[in-house]
C-alpha cells in the first residue's frame, strides 16, 4: 500500500472513531436534554394535580374532571393515576379509562421517572411521586401520584435528531477525509516527484536528481546524487582497472610468446626457459593482484618499499628486447648509482613498463633511459628516435583509448594509467623532443614525499 493510501486508511479509522464518539455523545446529550425537559414538564403537571387533591378519612379525593382539560379527554396523550397505601388504584383520570398501566411505587418524598408501556404496547413517559398526606384528623396516609405522557412524538423527534446527527457527522467525516486526502496529496507531491525521478534514473532517462523538491527532501536528494556519483565512479574504476589489467598483461604475454618461439627454434635451454616462464607467470600473477586491489581500494597504495630503479628498469628492458626482437632496438640505461624510490613496486613497474614499451613500440632503432637525482627530487626519462609527439597532441594522449598511431598495437590505456599513478605521487610529467628528434618523456618525483636513496 502506498504512503498516501496508508495515511488515508489511518485517517479514516481515527476520524471515523472520533465521528462515532461525537455522534453517540450528541445523541446521548440530546436524549438526556429531552428527558430532563419531559421530567420537569410532568413534575409541574403533577404539582397541579396535587393542588386539587385532598385526604378525607384516609381516602384520596379528586374530582372526576380536573382543571387540566387534557385529563378529561379519553383519547388524550396525558394520563394520571393515584394509588393508595395497598397499591390499589384510588383514582384515575378520564383519559386513563381505556388503559391499564402498572407503575412502580416510590417511597414518600421520592420522585420516580421512567418509560412505561400499556397493554396495547403504547409507550409513555411516567413520573410518580410518593407522598404522605394527613386527613382531617391528622392521620397520614401514603399515596402515589403518577402522571404519564405519550412518548411517540418525542421518540419520533428523537429518531429524526439521531438521523440528522448521523448524516451531519457522516458529511463532516467525508469532508474531513476529502481535506485530509487533499493535504496528503499536496504534502506528498514532492515525494511523488522524487519517486518519479528515481524511476527515470533507473530507466536511464535522467542522469541526476533535481534539487527543488522540498526543504526536507533536498538533503536526501543530495545524498542520493552523491551515492549515484560514487557508484558510477566505482563502476568506471572497475572498468578502468580491467582495461589496465588487459594492457598490463600484454607485455608478459608477449614475452611468453617470444620464449615459445625461441623454444621452437631451440634457441634457449630448458632450464632457462623454465626460469623465464616462471618469472613471467609470477609477474602476471602480481599484475592481476595489483589491479584487483586498485579496483577495490581506488588509487591508494598500501605497500611501499625501496624500489631499485636500475634493477627494475633492466628487467623491463630485457623483457622488451624479447618482445620487439624483430626491430633490433638498441637500448641504453643510465642510472645514478644506488638510486631507488620509496614507492609501491607494482606502481613503478607500471610506470617504467608503459613508458619503455611506448619507446620500443614507436622508436626506430634507439631507446635511452636515464634516472638521476638532486636535492629536491629524483628524475626518470625515456627517449626514442621515433616520430615524436606533436605539441598539440601532448595532452590528449593521456586520455583513455587515445593513440597517435592507429596502426600500432594497443588500446591507448598505458599513458592514462601512468598519469593516474603519477597523480597519486604528486609527480610531474613533461614531454619534449630529444636529440634524435623523437619523444622524450621526463618524470619528476619529489624526494620529500615518497623517495629515498
Amino acid at each position: 500500500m502506498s504512503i498516501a493510501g496508508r495515511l488515508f486508511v489511518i485517517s479514516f479509522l481515527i476520524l471515523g472513531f472520533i465521528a462515532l464518539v461525537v455522534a453517540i455523545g450528541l445523541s446521548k446529550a440530546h436524549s438526556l436534554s429531552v428527558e430532563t425537559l419531559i421530567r420537569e414538564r410532568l413534575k409541574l403537571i403533577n404539582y397541579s394535580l396535587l393542588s386539587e387533591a385532598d385526604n378525607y378519612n384516609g381516602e384520596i379525593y379528586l374530582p372526576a374532571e380536573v382543571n387540566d382539560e387534557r385529563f378529561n379527554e379519553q383519547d388524550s396523550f396525558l394520563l394520571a393515576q393515584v394509588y393508595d397505601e395497598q397499591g390499589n388504584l384510588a383514582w384515575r383520570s378520564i383519559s386513563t379509562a381505556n388503559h391499564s398501566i402498572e407503575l412502580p411505587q416510590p417511597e414518600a418524598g421520592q420522585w420516580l421517572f421512567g418509560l412505561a408501556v400499556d397493554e396495547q404496547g403504547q409507550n409513555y413517559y411516567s413520573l410518580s411521586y410518593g407522598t404522605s398526606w394527613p386527613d382531617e384528623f391528622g392521620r397520614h396516609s401514603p399515596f402515589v401520584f403518577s402522571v404519564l405522557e405519550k412518548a411517540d412524538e418525542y421518540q419520533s423527534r428523537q429518531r429524526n435528531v439521531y438521523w440528522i446527527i448521523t448524516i451531519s457527522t457522516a458529511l463532516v467525516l467525508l469532508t474531513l477525509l476529502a481535506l485530509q486526502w487533499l493535504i496528503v496529496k499536496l504534502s506528498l507531491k514532492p515525494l511523488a516527484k522524487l519517486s518519479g525521478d528515481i524511476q527515470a534514473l533507473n530507466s536511464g532517462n535522467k542522469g541526476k536528481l533535481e534539487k527543488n523538491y522540498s526543504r526536507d527532501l533536498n538533503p536526501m536528494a543530495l545524498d542520493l546524487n552523491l551515492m549515484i556519483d560514487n557508484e558510477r565512479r566505482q563502476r568506471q574504476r572497475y572498468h578502468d582497472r580491467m582495461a589496465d589489467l588487459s594492457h598490463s598483461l600484454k607485455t608478459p604475454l608477449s614475452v611468453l610468446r617470444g620464449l615459445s618461439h625461441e623454444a621452437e627454434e631451440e634457441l634457449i635451454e630448458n632450464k632457462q626457459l623454465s626460469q623465464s616462464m616462471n618469472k613471467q607467470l609470477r609477474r602476471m600473477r602480481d599484475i592481476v593482484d595489483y589491479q584487483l586491489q586498485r579496483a577495490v581500494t581506488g588509487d591508494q597504495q598500501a605497500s611501499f618499499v625501496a624500489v631499485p630503479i636500475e634493477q627494475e628498469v633492466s628487467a623491463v628492458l630485457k623483457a622488451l628486447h624479447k618482445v620487439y626482437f624483430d626491430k633490433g632496438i638498441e637500448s641504453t640505461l643510465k642510472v645514478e648509482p644506488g638510486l631507488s624510490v620509496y614507492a609501491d613496486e607494482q606502481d613503478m613497474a607500471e610506470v617504467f613498463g608503459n613508458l619503455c614499451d611506448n619507446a620500443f613500440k614507436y622508436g626506430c632503432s634507439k631507446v635511452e633511459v636515464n634516472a638521476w637525482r638532486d636535492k629536491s627530487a629524483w628524475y626518470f626519462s625515456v627517449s626514442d628516435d621515433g616520430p615524436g609527439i606533436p605539441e598539440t597532441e601532448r595532452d590528449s594522449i593521456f586520455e583513455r583509448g587515445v593513440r597517435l598511431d592507429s596502426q600500432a598495437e594497443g588500446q591507448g590505456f598505458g599513458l592514462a594509467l601512468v598519469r593516474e599513478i603519477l597523480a597519486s605521487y604528486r609527480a610531474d610529467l613533461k614531454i619534449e623532443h630529444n636529440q634524435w628528434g623523437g619523444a622524450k618523456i621526463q618524470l619528476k618525483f619529489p624526494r620529500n614525499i615518497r623517495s629515498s636513496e
Side-chain angles (χ1 to χ4, degrees):
M1 184 182 293
S2 64
I3 295 178
R6 191 175 289 113
L7 289 175
F8 185 80
V9 170
I10 294 174
S11 300
F12 175 78
L13 294 177
I14 294 176
L15 293 177
F17 176 76
I18 294 174
L20 180 62
V21 172
V22 170
I24 293 175
L26 289 175
S27 301
K28 190 68 176 177
H30 181 267
S31 178
L32 291 174
S33 175
V34 169
E35 289 181 357
T36 301
L37 180 64
I38 295 173
R39 181 172 180 171
E40 294 301 319
R41 173 187 171 86
L42 294 179
K43 184 180 289 189
L44 292 175
I45 295 174
N46 215 327
Y47 283 146
S48 175
L49 191 62
L50 284 168
S51 67
E52 296 185 54
D54 204 353
N55 181 5
Y56 289 106
N57 196 21
E59 295 183 1
I60 196 69
Y61 170 78
L62 274 169
E65 294 187 2
V66 294
N67 293 333
D68 194 334
E69 292 296 332
R70 292 173 297 181
F71 290 121
N72 301 327
E73 300 174 359
Q74 288 190 357
D75 295 329
S76 175
F77 63 90
L78 198 62
L79 313 178
Q81 297 178 154
V82 180
Y83 296 90
D84 60 17
E85 183 178 4
Q86 287 75 34
N88 298 321
L89 188 60
W91 179 90
R92 66 179 178 177
S93 64
I94 296 174
S95 59
T96 318
N98 298 326
H99 301 277
S100 176
I101 304 174
E102 294 183 2
L103 297 172
Q105 305 297 306
E107 299 292 331
Q110 292 184 348
W111 292 93
L112 189 61
F113 178 77
L115 194 64
V117 183
D118 65 5
E119 74 283 356
Q120 300 174 3
Q122 177 66 53
N123 293 325
Y124 291 88
Y125 286 110
S126 69
L127 181 65
S128 301
Y129 177 66
T131 180
S132 181
W133 203 310
D135 58 10
E136 70 272 17
F137 302 107
R139 294 173 300 187
H140 286 262
S141 300
F143 297 98
V144 176
F145 286 75
S146 298
V147 178
L148 303 93
E149 186 175 7
K150 283 185 178 181
D152 291 349
E153 184 176 355
Y154 292 107
Q155 291 178 339
S156 177
R157 292 178 182 175
Q158 186 73 7
R159 285 192 294 270
N160 291 337
V161 170
Y162 288 163
W163 275 111
I164 292 173
I165 292 175
T166 301
I167 294 173
S168 300
T169 306
L171 290 176
V172 171
L173 175 61
L174 291 176
T175 302
L176 290 176
L177 288 175
L179 290 174
Q180 177 72 15
W181 178 84
L182 182 61
I183 292 172
V184 170
K185 199 72 175 177
L186 293 177
S187 300
L188 295 181
K189 188 176 181 181
L191 191 59
K193 187 175 185 299
L194 177 61
S195 176
D197 288 347
I198 291 176
Q199 292 178 2
L201 277 175
N202 291 333
S203 61
N205 296 326
K206 262 185 178 292
K208 278 190 175 183
L209 296 176
E210 299 177 4
K211 299 179 181 179
N212 58 345
Y213 300 104
S214 64
R215 183 178 299 177
D216 50 347
L217 289 181
N218 284 338
M220 183 173 68
L222 178 60
D223 291 340
L224 288 174
N225 278 335
L226 292 175
M227 184 178 67
I228 291 169
D229 290 340
N230 184 64
E231 188 274 337
R232 286 173 178 167
R233 286 193 299 270
Q234 183 78 4
R235 185 168 53 189
Q236 184 62 40
R237 186 165 70 244
Y238 285 150
H239 178 270
D240 293 345
R241 295 295 83 81
M242 293 305 101
D244 294 341
L245 176 61
S246 64
H247 182 273
S248 300
L249 290 175
K250 180 183 64 176
T251 298
L253 287 174
S254 298
V255 173
L256 288 175
R257 187 168 61 247
L259 291 173
S260 174
H261 177 74
E262 291 181 3
E264 290 177 357
E265 299 293 332
E266 297 181 354
L267 300 176
I268 186 172
E269 296 180 358
N270 291 337
K271 183 177 180 180
Q272 184 180 0
L273 174 63
S274 177
Q275 292 175 347
S276 299
M277 291 184 65
N278 288 333
K279 181 179 179 180
Q280 296 304 319
L281 290 173
R282 285 194 300 271
R283 167 114 175 104
M284 293 173 68
R285 182 196 61 195
D286 292 341
I287 289 173
V288 171
D289 293 341
Y290 169 71
Q291 294 295 353
L292 290 179
Q293 180 185 4
R294 291 188 70 207
V296 175
T297 62
D299 294 329
Q300 300 177 355
Q301 287 77 30
S303 56
F304 294 92
V305 296
V307 180
I309 295 179
E310 184 173 8
Q311 178 180 339
E312 185 70 27
V313 177
S314 295
V316 171
L317 294 177
K318 185 177 180 181
L320 291 174
H321 276 292
K322 293 182 179 181
V323 174
Y324 297 97
F325 67 94
D326 55 335
K327 295 184 68 173
I329 297 291
E330 179 184 346
S331 65
T332 304
L333 175 60
K334 298 179 181 179
V335 179
E336 187 173 326
L339 181 60
S340 63
V341 58
Y342 187 69
D344 185 274
E345 188 174 7
Q346 288 296 331
D347 282 347
M348 295 302 99
E350 290 290 343
V351 171
F352 299 152
N354 278 292
L355 294 181
C356 292
D357 181 72
N358 281 342
F360 272 74
K361 182 187 300 181
Y362 297 108
C364 296
S365 60
K366 296 180 180 180
V367 171
E368 181 178 288
V369 180
N370 294 282
W372 68 99
R373 63 173 178 255
D374 59 22
K375 293 182 179 181
S376 61
W378 69 271
Y379 303 85
F380 179 83
S381 69
V382 179
S383 302
D384 63 71
D385 61 347
I389 302 174
E391 293 186 8
T392 56
E393 306 291 343
R394 290 179 182 178
D395 291 330
S396 61
I397 61 171
F398 292 101
E399 297 178 6
R400 287 183 172 270
V402 174
R403 292 185 294 121
L404 297 183
D405 185 3
S406 59
Q407 302 299 321
E409 294 184 359
Q411 296 85 25
F413 295 126
L415 290 180
L417 177 57
V418 169
R419 184 181 63 174
E420 291 176 6
I421 295 174
L422 294 180
S424 67
Y425 287 87
R426 302 181 189 176
D428 296 329
L429 184 147
K430 182 170 62 173
I431 300 177
E432 301 175 333
H433 287 294
N434 57 39
Q435 69 273 22
W436 304 312
K440 177 182 179 181
I441 299 180
Q442 179 174 303
L443 311 182
K444 178 182 178 181
F445 285 78
R447 288 178 61 181
N448 59 347
I449 296 179
R450 293 189 179 103
S451 63
S452 67
E453 296 182 1

